Amino acid sequence: MSQQHADKYYVPAQSPWPIVGAVALFLIAVGAGNVVMQHHKGTDGYGGLILSLGMITLMVMLIGWFRDQINESMAGMHNAQLGQSYRQGMSWFIFSEVMFFAAFFGALFYTRMISVPWLGGASNNAMTNEVLWPTFEAMWPLTQTPSGLVTEAMGWNGLPLINTVILLISSVTLHFAHVGLEEQKRGQLMWLLGLTILLGISFLGLQVEEYVHAYTEMGLTLQSGVYGNTFFMLTGFHGLHVTLGTILLIVMFCRVLAGHFTPKNQFAFMAASWYWHFVDVVWVMLFIFVYVL
Amino acid sequence: MSSIVEQDIHADDHHHHAPGGGIKRWLYTTNHKDIGTLYLWFAFIMFLVGGSMAMVIRAELFEPGLQIVEPNFFNQMTTVHGLVMVFGAVMPAFTGLANWMVPMMIGAPDMALPRMNNWSFWILPFAFAILLASLFMEGGGPNFGWTFYAPLSTTYSNDSTALFVFSVHIMGASSIMGAINVIVTIMNMRAPGMTYMKMPLFVWTWFITAFLLIAVMPVLAGAVTMVLTDKFFGTSFFSAAGGGDPVLFQHIFWFFGHPEVYIMILPAFGIISQIVPTFARKPLFGYASMVYATASIALLSFVVWAHHMFTTGMPVAGELFFMIATMLISVPTGVKVFNWVATMWRGAMTFEMPMLFALAFIVLFTIGGFSGLMLAITPVDFQYHDTYFVVAHFHYVLVTGAIFSIFAAAYYWLPKWSGVMFDKKLANWHFWCSLVSVNVLFFPMHFVGLAGMPRRIPDYALQFADFNKWISIGGFAFGLSQLFFLALLIKACRKQGEPAAAKPWEGAEGLEWEIPSPAPYHTFETPPVIK
Ligand code: HEM
Ligand SMILES: [Cu+2]
């Protein structure tokens, strides 16, 4: 790999955006922390304001940073080696996201395989059940918690199945949009990318509907024991990732309109599509382990 | 806004000086040397901040009874001391060394993603500002230990836990970006001819460390997120009433935590593997075996986490598995120690300051490794767990291990960074005072721990009084000894001292010694040719 480089390296110039980004994260962390504390104590405060300020700063930073980046790339300043660095960086970033979801899947497996059965007296925990939670019976989905909260379980064959189909199709459409880009078929690229975005948005819409249904009719909430916890945390973080992915795809759509990509110069498009496929795979895991099994 | 400067490889002279512009230079910089310097100074300042918290702890423990601080404040001190030292001192120091040295050692002009590099540094001061500021909030800062076990952190903690969680989130973002940068630099920026098996060991160990970081920092983020929702949003991941389990917290935390301790020691192994051959004037014994040992330590580190949980409830099969897996790690660790010793065997040894610290590392880290082996024996750990014996163990591996290696690295490369030789007198004071006091400080902890003195408690039984007095005296002395190093650093930064040669150490080898001292602002804009 290292042999093929040109004899000259490209070193990006100084930039104000990283420090703006650091300030943004600072404001977001302080703001979010205060929002949570206010919510907990039921008091007023500046948390929300600081958080919004942080978000705005982050947006400004992202726009500024990417604008510089795009300008430099259009001006041909980036060489093949930098492109390779971006691709590798993106792959490692996705790997870190995989590990983030792994933590929550780990919690799900532990709860299903260990903590719930043990509370029900499995292994050598008969006394735990007998003395602490005598009325509790182990089951999954956990529709009655040891402390007695009752909820309904979310089935898999309604909205979730439709959503699975939607996401799977969207992966295919995005793939062929990418093929369109590589083969310079602009029409195919545009309409398939547009379709992918619409599929992403409808996924999110159905997900919201499912949440409303869970909260208002099934008594399944974030508070209703580990079943609700793992359900909402896993699908919730996944939903956030779909949202982010959709935004990325919309940005890509605008950049396609602006004629930014060529088969040779398309890192951003590729990164967005990798991200989308990754989010898709996570959903398949979710569908299997959260809904079906 | 930011204009692009076309780098002209022929107009060398103006590149060799840092751009002016005062504070802006440091805020906007994309230069790996600037960012390395920032990381290193930040780490040193955090070392002093965390150190002063340790002084509070030792002052309280100087005598039995409660005298100087409230127990709740004592708990905050142990907690924040741990967090600051792990995430604020040791990890940023290693990242700083990686920033400075990895590009120079592989013949790259800079890190692969220089702007992200700047971002990952500048997040850190903000993250720690939040953490430290939370100490002054109503109700105080985090007080549940650096391991923030549930239900301590989810039920009995104070409101500032929210700030703790978000500051850990952004610290994690910083570490992940830093690690991605290192790993991509190593994979993609090596000069032609610099094959993987020619890379210096410091580069190799950081390569593997970066992988560990990317794999486990997100798990830490997951853990703090679940603590946040359990505490503030009514989830019950870690509460049996809702079907969860506090032990789950420990599994998730230590799945991060054990690889994390290797994150703090693998780069140290790399540093020692650079320094020992230089001052023994022999090539490193068993280079390939060092690489494989590092890789196997990293892989094994994913399957030993529950040795921190022998007493918290696991089936016997689990206890046995984690005992044996943990002991297995001593094999590759032993390979490393024997390789260093074999490198020195019949070498033409001299004992300059980096070598002194490296030798202290080899001896004292090995003591920590042996106490780790003792702790790994499950039935025996039932006695030692949560006592000062554990405290002794991890301070031997972290202070005389990780931190001594950072000192060794600083002395080794300071002439390259500053262009002047450091003040040898101050260095000698620093080394010898540290060496004696660190053992007065940590060695007796083995004894009080074996006798059953629990950790993280502001008071203790009378029979531990004598040893604790010595421990505290050692602690204050070790703290003061670091002021020699501070003075030495200030002198070096002001360029007071004899000018250093490009290769100030006779036996040194590697690309970093082929460029002048101080290293010019830009190096290797055209890739060097590797034989
Ligand atoms: C020979 C290799 C090692 C073995 C067998 C080993 C084993 C152990 C065991 C069994 C414990 C748990 C003790 C208890 O809580 O009862 C422990 C704790 C610890 N070890 Fe090690 N260890 C080794 C190397 C290291 C290294 C290289 C580091 C870091 C550089 C390290 C850092 C720690 C820390 C920080 C703790 C305590 C965490 C806490 O509870 O706060 N260990 N070690
Ligand atoms: Cu461990």
Side-chain angles (χ1 to χ4, degrees), chain A residues 32-221:
Chain A
N34 277 292
V35 166
V36 171
M37 290 189 290
Q38 288 158 23
H39 156 88
H40 192 60
K41 282 189 287 203
T43 54
D44 291 336
Y46 297 106
L49 190 72
I50 302 175
L51 181 60
S52 335
L53 220 81
M55 291 296 201
I56 295 171
T57 317
L58 190 70
M59 291 308 290
V60 171
M61 170 278 230
L62 287 174
I63 292 171
W65 192 328
F66 283 113
R67 195 199 52 200
D68 286 358
Q69 202 68 18
I70 292 166
N71 288 342
E72 289 169 19
S73 139
M74 302 298 286
M77 319 222 53
H78 294 177
N79 58 16
Q81 188 183 27
L82 194 69
Q84 178 78 358
S85 293
Y86 285 159
R87 279 191 292 280
Q88 286 176 357
M90 186 69 193
S91 321
W92 287 109
F93 169 67
I94 289 178
F95 174 59
S96 80
E97 292 267 50
V98 169
M99 294 308 291
F100 181 73
F101 277 100
F104 289 93
F105 273 108
L108 173 71
F109 295 148
Y110 182 91
T111 317
R112 289 180 60 165
M113 313 290 288
I114 296 181
S115 74
V116 169
W118 283 8
L119 286 168
S123 182
N124 58 355
N125 298 284
M127 288 312 281
T128 310
N129 182 258
E130 199 55 40
V131 177
L132 293 177
W133 317 102
T135 58
F136 177 68
E137 265 180 66
M139 60 187 139
W140 195 268
L142 185 74
T143 45
Q144 182 168 10
T145 65
S147 64
L149 283 176
V150 181
T151 75
E152 263 179 69
M154 182 64 79
W156 61 269
N157 48 2
L159 289 182
L161 185 62
I162 301 177
N163 261 347
T164 309
V165 175
I166 290 182
L167 273 196
L168 286 179
I169 295 178
S170 78
S171 244
V172 177
T173 52
L174 186 60
H175 173 73
F176 283 102
H178 194 194
V179 172
L181 171 62
E182 305 239 285
E183 294 174 359
Q184 295 191 296
K185 292 182 185 150
R186 207 173 140 81
Q188 177 179 344
L189 166 62
M190 299 260 283
W191 85 265
L192 282 178
L193 181 56
L195 187 63
T196 313
I197 293 171
L198 290 181
L199 287 170
I201 293 173
S202 26
F203 173 90
L204 288 171
L206 292 181
Q207 193 74 355
V208 170
E209 196 179 318
E210 184 186 76
Y211 276 18
V212 171
H213 179 64
Y215 260 82
T216 54
E217 282 155 52
M218 300 171 61
L220 178 60
T221 68

Side-chain angles (χ1 to χ4, degrees), chain B residues 212 258-259 261-262 265-266 269 292-305 307-308 321-337 365 369 372-373 376:
Chain B
L212 288 179
H258 189 81
V261 307
Y262 282 98
I265 206 67
L266 292 185
F269 291 167
Y292 295 126
T294 312
S296 31
I297 290 176
L299 290 181
L300 281 173
S301 77
F302 284 107
V303 292
V304 298
W305 76 87
H307 64 215
H308 296 271
F321 172 82
F322 285 107
M323 171 167 90
I324 292 164
T326 303
M327 290 181 161
L328 263 182
I329 291 203
S330 329
V331 176
T333 314
V335 168
K336 291 193 162 276
V337 173
F365 170 79
L373 259 180

Side-chain angles (χ1 to χ4, degrees), chain A residues 2 7 9 12-15 18 21-22 36-37 41 68-69 72 77 81 84-85 96 99 110 115 146-147 223 226 229, chain B residues 2-4 7 28 30 109 114-115 119 123 159 188 190 215 218 232-233 235-236 240-243 245 251 524-525 527:
Chain A
S2 50
D7 56 350
Y9 287 114
Q14 293 200 339
S15 163
V36 171
M37 290 189 290
K41 282 189 287 203
D68 286 358
Q69 202 68 18
E72 289 169 19
M77 319 222 53
Q81 188 183 27
Q84 178 78 358
S85 293
S96 80
M99 294 308 291
Y110 182 91
S115 74
S147 64
Q223 283 85 18
V226 277
N229 302 163
Chain B
S2 74
S3 62
I4 303 108
Q7 306 288 1
Y28 293 176
T30 46
R115 288 184 188 150
W119 196 16
I123 291 171
D159 282 349
N188 199 29
R190 282 168 290 122
F232 294 103
F233 298 101
T235 61
S236 36
D245 185 353
H251 281 293
F524 299 128
E525 279 170 292

Side-chain angles (χ1 to χ4, degrees), chain B residues 173-215:
Chain B
S174 153
S175 300
I176 292 173
M177 289 194 283
I180 290 180
N181 223 333
V182 172
I183 210 166
V184 174
T185 306
I186 296 172
M187 288 173 71
N188 199 29
M189 306 285 281
R190 282 168 290 122
M194 176 63 80
T195 57
Y196 278 111
M197 289 313 268
K198 276 190 195 157
M199 293 193 315
L201 261 168
F202 180 67
V203 180
W204 252 115
T205 51
W206 241 112
F207 186 41
I208 292 167
T209 303
F211 169 75
L212 288 179
L213 274 166
I214 303 171

